[in-house]
Amino acid sequence: MNAPYFPTFSLTTYLAVAVLLGFFFGFFLERAGFSSAHKLVAEFYFKDFAVLKVMFSAIVVAMLGIAYFSLVGWLDMSQVFVPPTYIWPQLVGGLLLGAGFIIGGY
Amino acid sequence: MGTQPLPIMPVPLSVEQAEAMSQRRIKKHHVAIMLLHWFNAMVWLFELSTGAALIASPYFRVAPYWYIDMVTAFFGSRANMLQFHIVVGITWVVVFAVYVVFGFRTYVRTNVLHGIRIHEQPVWRKFLALQCVLFQNEEVCLDADDFGWLKTRFLRVIGRSHEPLPPQGLYNAGQKLFAWLVYVAIPVIMATGLVMAFHLISATAVAWAVVLHFTAVGLVLSGLMIHVYMGAVFPEEKQAFFSMITGMVSELYAYRHHFKWWKEVKMQEEAWKRELQGGSGSSGAAPPILEAATCAPPLSQEQSEENRGLPWTFKRIFRAPEYWPPYVAGAGLGLTLLATFVLMGQGLGASGGFTRYLVAVMAWVAPNYAAHNAYWSNYVQPGQSPLIAFLVFELIGVVIGGFVSGWLAGRVRITVDKGPRISRRTRYALAVGGGVLTGYGARLARGCTSGLALSGGAVLSVGAWIFMLSVFAAAFGGAWFMRRYWL
């Protein structure tokens, strides 16, 4: 009944936790090979499906954890930020980002 | 006697040999063990299903309310449910007590301590020898091969090794570890259960018993999940499942999965044969499988020596130049994302952080403009820097984490990552052009692939999934036009 914990953090703790979480984010992204533009775009030439595999396994792991934690009442979902839906901006924004992705090798 | 030339490692079998071995059955489990196993399984099923429903304090529970209500309704009341839990638990304790008393006689009769001279061994072997003495049961004590097995198994799972697993005895190292856990946890579960049921000793003792009871059950449960998965789902272990019903496994299964045990059985059979032939010193020709085995090259000493030690394992995992298998990295990323939601109440992101860096620069260069821009003014609060935010500091961590990972694997270098047919200049231009589109799209959609697709996807935001699908659609569609630049 007490997660998420950020309201209890002091500013220093809050920012330190942010750096720590970012560290693991960057670490696993690099481990997956996402630091290479070539590896990223290989996805769209059907050569290497790492992007799809990494992204969806991460989503599934996090989703299952969140669902279970909120089911048993540990994580209060009303305090968790769920990105709001704006259909047209997100559809068009996605298309633009996807085009930028394949052009720039983001 | 006992000088049969048996192989150290399993050797490849011919089709005929494998065929013959798959037909022969060897006895693996005594009927008493099988009965005890299924009795134990029933008890765990009952105790876990009622136990999960019994934990229902406002501060801590492990099952959702609908489950607690359902089980309570099934028993009529919580008191009845508790009574059932206690009665089954006491039955379990009594049956195990009987088993231990009778089993102990067997342990005393079989002298397994011979040949272990503890003081002559190096430290970690001392530990191995000591635990064998402690448990007095060769079948479950871990040996050097088991440690090699655990290490190789782990490396194989994360795709860092393709070496064969060291040969295993009647139980493999994973099963032995589980047995260890169970041996330690079960007395704790029983003792604390009795303390809780009858309020023994003192109120403090009961309070501690509750904590210990949960912890021990949780530990066993974590192993139990793997145990049940392996037994009931994993196709390679099908025989292990049926061996708990019939007691038998095929010789081929024993050879492949429990080689050292197979060797023992084989040696015993040879000894019996010689006895039946009238005890003439020399035995006949060795069976074909053993002949083939003696010709196989033994495992080279260097190879097995190199496999030892933690630094070597660390190197294999972190310092190898290849990337991690996608599902392993993905699981790590997923756990990081989960931790972020639990700690920060939001997901990971990237473009939002960059926005804040930009706003900070603008607020410094042209404060008036930044404060009156419809979009940027959201980030400029009086008296607070736009840089004091989760995403801004998270991005610092990302740079450090990415660098550490790349540096460990020796992937750090300055290079222009481009297709073979284009110049550096073209690549730079494309990067800028793509970057403009990416940046504009990310701000239009209120998030990028990290902040919206990944984090929003995990909390099932509809917009996030729309965004993700359109990203992939545009990238797959655009790939055809860009092929000249990448391939």
Side-chain angles (χ1 to χ4, degrees):
Chain A
M1 265 317 159
N2 24 29
Y5 290 106
F6 68 92
T8 63
F9 290 162
S10 73
L11 187 61
T12 321
T13 317
Y14 184 83
L15 298 178
V17 170
V19 174
L20 189 72
L21 289 167
F23 177 89
F24 284 106
F25 187 32
F27 187 88
F28 286 120
L29 285 178
E30 208 286 334
R31 286 281 127 176
F34 284 14
S35 57
S36 155
H38 245 96
K39 182 137 172 120
L40 289 175
V41 296
E43 163 89 21
F44 303 110
Y45 295 100
F46 301 98
K47 286 190 166 171
D48 180 350
F49 281 95
V51 174
L52 215 65
K53 287 174 180 169
V54 171
M55 208 162 151
F56 281 88
S57 52
I59 288 178
V60 168
V61 167
M63 195 189 286
L64 288 177
I66 292 166
Y68 182 74
F69 290 159
S70 74
L71 204 65
V72 303
W74 183 35
L75 181 66
D76 181 3
M77 274 310 278
S78 68
Q79 284 206 60
V80 169
F81 173 70
V82 177
T85 300
Y86 300 93
I87 293 179
W88 287 109
Q90 278 162 344
L91 193 81
V92 176
L95 290 175
L96 287 175
L97 194 141
F101 198 148
I102 195 66
I103 293 170
Y106 156 99
Chain B
M1 298 303 238
T3 49
Q4 269 296 332
L6 279 159
I8 319 165
M9 295 284 285
V11 290
L13 301 170
S14 71
V15 179
E16 292 79 29
Q17 282 173 332
E19 189 74 26
M21 282 172 88
S22 70
Q23 296 300 320
R24 282 199 58 207
R25 310 258 123 200
I26 321 184
K27 188 173 173 184
K28 187 174 181 192
H29 301 294
H30 192 268
V31 67
I33 296 287
M34 291 188 279
L35 282 176
L36 194 72
H37 174 265
W38 291 111
F39 168 74
N40 215 0
M42 291 287 280
V43 167
W44 275 91
L45 189 69
F46 286 144
E47 293 297 78
L48 283 176
S49 53
T50 51
L54 280 169
I55 304 169
S57 99
Y59 304 104
F60 183 75
R61 68 203 156 81
V62 291
Y65 280 124
W66 62 261
Y67 177 81
I68 297 176
D69 292 342
M70 184 183 81
V71 180
T72 314
F74 181 79
F75 284 96
S77 71
R78 287 186 63 78
N80 285 350
M81 182 163 65
L82 181 61
Q83 206 160 26
F84 176 82
H85 191 83
I86 292 173
V87 168
V88 172
I90 290 175
T91 317
W92 187 51
V93 174
V94 170
V95 169
F96 261 70
V98 171
Y99 172 74
V100 167
V101 168
F102 281 88
F104 188 67
R105 284 195 339 209
T106 329
Y107 289 150
V108 172
R109 262 191 257 132
T110 49
N111 178 16
V112 296
L113 301 182
H114 58 83
I116 301 175
R117 293 197 193 135
I118 296 169
H119 58 276
E120 287 174 13
Q121 308 286 341
V123 177
W124 74 283
R125 277 178 194 281
K126 241 179 222 160
F127 163 75
L128 294 183
L130 270 176
Q131 45 119 9
C132 288
V133 174
L134 189 68
F135 287 114
Q136 302 234 332
N137 188 347
E138 261 173 354
E139 284 166 8
V140 295
C141 72
L142 293 156
D143 59 25
D145 278 337
D146 291 330
F147 278 87
W149 187 91
L150 288 171
K151 203 184 302 165
T152 313
R153 180 85 263 184
F154 178 70
L155 288 171
R156 280 168 68 127
V157 166
I158 66 159
R160 279 283 169 280
S161 170
H162 301 284
E163 289 155 35
L165 294 159
Q168 295 290 293
L170 182 61
Y171 295 106
N172 72 33
Q175 292 170 310
K176 286 178 179 180
L177 268 190
F178 185 48
W180 255 73
L181 183 69
V182 166
Y183 278 10
V184 174
I186 281 189
V188 174
I189 294 170
M190 288 177 169
T192 52
L194 291 174
V195 169
M196 285 155 77
F198 301 108
H199 295 275
L200 303 175
I201 311 173
S202 71
T204 321
V206 175
W208 274 105
V210 174
V211 177
L212 284 173
H213 199 73
F214 291 178
T215 313
V217 170
L219 284 174
V220 174
L221 192 60
S222 61
L224 201 58
M225 284 193 232
I226 302 170
H227 177 76
V228 171
Y229 171 77
M230 294 300 278
V233 186
F234 204 61
E236 252 184 74
E237 289 294 327
K238 219 180 206 164
Q239 291 222 13
F241 179 76
F242 287 110
S243 78
M244 261 300 156
I245 299 168
T246 62
M248 309 295 262
V249 292
S250 78
E251 193 184 345
L252 188 64
Y253 173 84
Y255 185 80
R256 292 232 167 109
H257 297 266
H258 301 279
F259 179 75
K260 284 199 289 191
W261 171 59
W262 171 85
K263 205 162 82 174
E264 264 169 47
V265 173
K266 216 68 199 167
M267 268 157 61
Q268 217 162 38
E269 276 177 14
E270 289 305 306
W272 285 336
K273 268 187 205 157
R274 277 196 298 274
E275 229 167 87
L276 285 175
Q277 280 163 3
S280 62
S282 62
S283 57
I289 171 75
L290 301 183
E291 259 171 30
T294 46
C295 306
L299 187 71
S300 90
Q301 191 62 29
E302 281 162 81
Q303 206 180 335
S304 60
E305 276 310 305
E306 194 200 315
N307 283 3
R308 307 222 175 281
L310 269 177
W312 179 86
T313 315
F314 175 85
K315 249 180 153 171
R316 267 281 170 99
I317 297 168
F318 291 105
R319 310 221 54 171
E322 316 92 47
Y323 295 118
W324 275 3
Y327 293 122
V328 176
L333 192 58
L335 290 176
T336 310
L337 185 58
L338 180 59
T340 312
F341 275 110
V342 168
L343 290 167
M344 309 307 260
Q346 60 177 307
L348 296 158
S351 64
F354 288 119
T355 308
R356 283 176 175 277
Y357 282 116
L358 181 74
V359 172
V361 173
M362 286 312 287
W364 178 54
V365 178
N368 222 15
Y369 180 69
H372 289 97
N373 178 294
Y375 185 69
W376 291 349
S377 58
N378 294 326
Y379 296 95
V380 190
Q381 254 99 52
Q384 204 192 349
S385 162
L387 292 181
I388 303 298
F390 168 66
L391 287 178
V392 171
F393 280 75
E394 180 230 76
L395 280 182
I396 299 173
V398 168
V399 173
I400 303 172
F403 181 80
V404 167
S405 169
W407 169 70
L408 279 175
R411 289 191 280 257
V412 175
R413 65 185 167 276
I414 294 173
T415 173
V416 179
D417 196 3
K418 63 178 184 61
R421 289 196 258 177
I422 57 171
S423 67
R424 286 186 168 211
R425 214 168 264 239
T426 318
R427 177 70 178 94
Y428 293 147
L430 287 173
V432 171
V436 169
L437 283 176
T438 306
Y440 189 78
R443 285 302 85 200
L444 185 63
R446 291 194 173 200
C448 54
T449 37
S450 311
L452 189 56
L454 187 68
S455 304
V459 287
L460 288 173
S461 156
V462 177
W465 285 89
I466 293 174
F467 173 76
M468 197 188 313
L469 293 177
S470 52
V471 169
F472 277 108
F476 273 112
W480 192 79
F481 300 100
M482 295 302 297
R483 66 192 187 286
R484 183 169 102 65
Y485 300 99
W486 285 113
L487 301 177

